[in-house]
């Protein structure tokens, strides 16, 4: 079964490509940011999530790992999964591997969308005009990029050492990027 991580900085195009991949390859798209956003209205838990998201900080591992474990366990796992926004640090990498192993599954490939910070920021600010996301603003972005650089980017090396990492140029159009990804996935 095909289980993919779509990786990259904020604004690199993970969500857009994950949707296209999920549709074509019939995978379940699990976006951690989206799953958390859906819980924002839910009492104390929702308030906690909002606090972290609106400051551009990662929610605590205990919370996100429990949330994603539960999202994985709710799947029939007759289809592969595509993870978007998860994992974002080493503890989450380990938790994800454990959760998949319970179902005799593992990550097949990590697609790393590469886009420089200036271009990514331009995209997010544009998205912010229509997304309604409170964290799509310059102040929060600064912190989101810092978190990415310090905690998340080091995972690239981890997955490269496991021979699972494929770099993808995130600059061209959505369709051009998708064609590139499609070529790679077809060969698997
Ligand atoms: P995203 O939609 O992936 O840009 O995520 C938006 C926000 O949700 C992040 O800035 C974090 O506050 C939170 N979030 C999403 N995924 C994770 C994760 N894997 N670990 C911790 N926090 C997360």
């Amino acid at each position: 079964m095909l289980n993919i991580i779509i990786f990259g900085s904020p604004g690199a195009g993970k969500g857009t490509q994950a949707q296209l991949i999920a549709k074509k390859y019939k995978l379940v798209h699990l976006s951690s940011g989206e799953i958390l956003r859906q819980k924002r209205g839910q009492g104390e838990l929702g308030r906690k999530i909002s606090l972290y998201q609106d400051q551009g900080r990662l929610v605590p591992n205990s919370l996100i790992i429990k949330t994603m474990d539960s999202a994985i366990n709710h799947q029939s796992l007759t289809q592969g999964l595509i993870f978007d926004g998860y994992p974002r640090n080493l503890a989450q990498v380990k938790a994800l591997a454990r959760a998949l192993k319970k179902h005799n599954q593992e990550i097949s490939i990590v697609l790393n969308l590469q886009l420089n910070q200036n271009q990514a920021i331009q995209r997010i600010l544009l998205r912010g005009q229509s997304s309604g996301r409170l964290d799509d603003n310059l102040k929060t972005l600064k912190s989101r990029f810092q978190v990415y650089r310090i905690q998340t980017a080091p995972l690239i090396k981890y997955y490269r050492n496991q021979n699972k990492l494929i770099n993808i140029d995130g600059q061209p159009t959505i369709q051009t990027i998708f064609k590139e990804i499609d070529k790679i996935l077809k060969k698997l």
Side-chain angles (χ1 to χ4, degrees):
M1 202 131 58
L2 191 56
N3 296 305
I4 301 174
I5 294 173
I6 186 106
F7 198 86
S9 75
K14 298 188 294 292
T16 305
Q17 293 301 327
Q19 276 178 19
L20 294 170
I21 298 166
K23 192 164 173 217
K24 173 140 191 196
Y25 288 86
K26 299 192 175 20
L27 306 179
V28 177
H29 177 193
L30 295 177
S31 157
S32 52
E34 194 49 44
I35 292 171
L36 291 171
R37 276 189 288 282
Q38 281 166 13
K39 296 182 188 293
R40 279 171 70 110
Q42 297 175 14
E44 190 51 37
L45 173 69
R47 276 200 326 118
K48 196 169 171 186
I49 291 170
S50 305
L51 192 77
Y52 284 96
Q53 283 193 326
D54 295 348
Q55 290 180 356
R57 293 162 62 203
L58 296 186
V59 305
N61 277 335
S62 53
L63 195 168
I64 188 68
I65 288 171
K66 211 166 113 191
T67 303
M68 294 306 286
D69 277 3
S70 145
I72 293 167
N73 292 333
H74 271 88
Q75 306 303 323
S76 59
L77 293 175
T78 50
Q79 290 168 280
L81 308 172
I82 178 160
F83 294 92
D84 157 15
Y86 187 79
R88 264 170 149 105
N89 58 35
L90 200 56
Q92 295 179 18
V93 167
K94 301 277 159 89
L96 174 58
R98 266 198 310 274
L100 290 175
K101 202 167 175 199
K102 269 205 228 157
H103 302 276
N104 292 320
Q105 295 292 318
E106 62 175 9
I107 291 298
S108 327
I109 190 169
V110 180
L111 301 169
N112 179 31
L113 283 174
Q114 297 182 302
L115 189 68
N116 76 45
Q117 186 170 328
N118 285 340
Q119 285 172 310
I121 288 177
Q122 290 315 314
R123 277 195 196 165
I124 296 176
L125 293 178
L126 204 68
R127 175 176 78 187
Q129 293 170 5
S130 58
S131 70
R133 276 180 59 170
L134 292 172
D135 59 345
D136 282 349
N137 63 72
L138 255 185
K139 186 162 170 268
T140 310
L141 267 178
K142 237 183 102 185
S143 138
R144 287 164 66 194
F145 274 98
Q146 194 179 17
V147 166
Y148 173 75
R149 267 197 310 276
I150 295 170
Q151 301 196 48
T152 309
L155 304 185
I156 291 173
K157 198 171 158 198
Y158 179 91
Y159 283 117
R160 192 190 296 127
N161 288 339
Q162 292 205 339
N163 286 326
K164 290 188 173 171
L165 191 87
I166 306 267
N167 288 323
I168 309 278
D169 181 4
Q171 283 191 73
T173 62
I174 292 172
Q175 282 312 324
T176 306
I177 297 170
F178 182 61
K179 265 191 205 147
E180 183 63 30
I181 292 177
D182 195 27
K183 244 195 279 172
I184 291 160
L185 296 182
K186 269 186 189 144
K187 286 190 213 147
L188 292 182

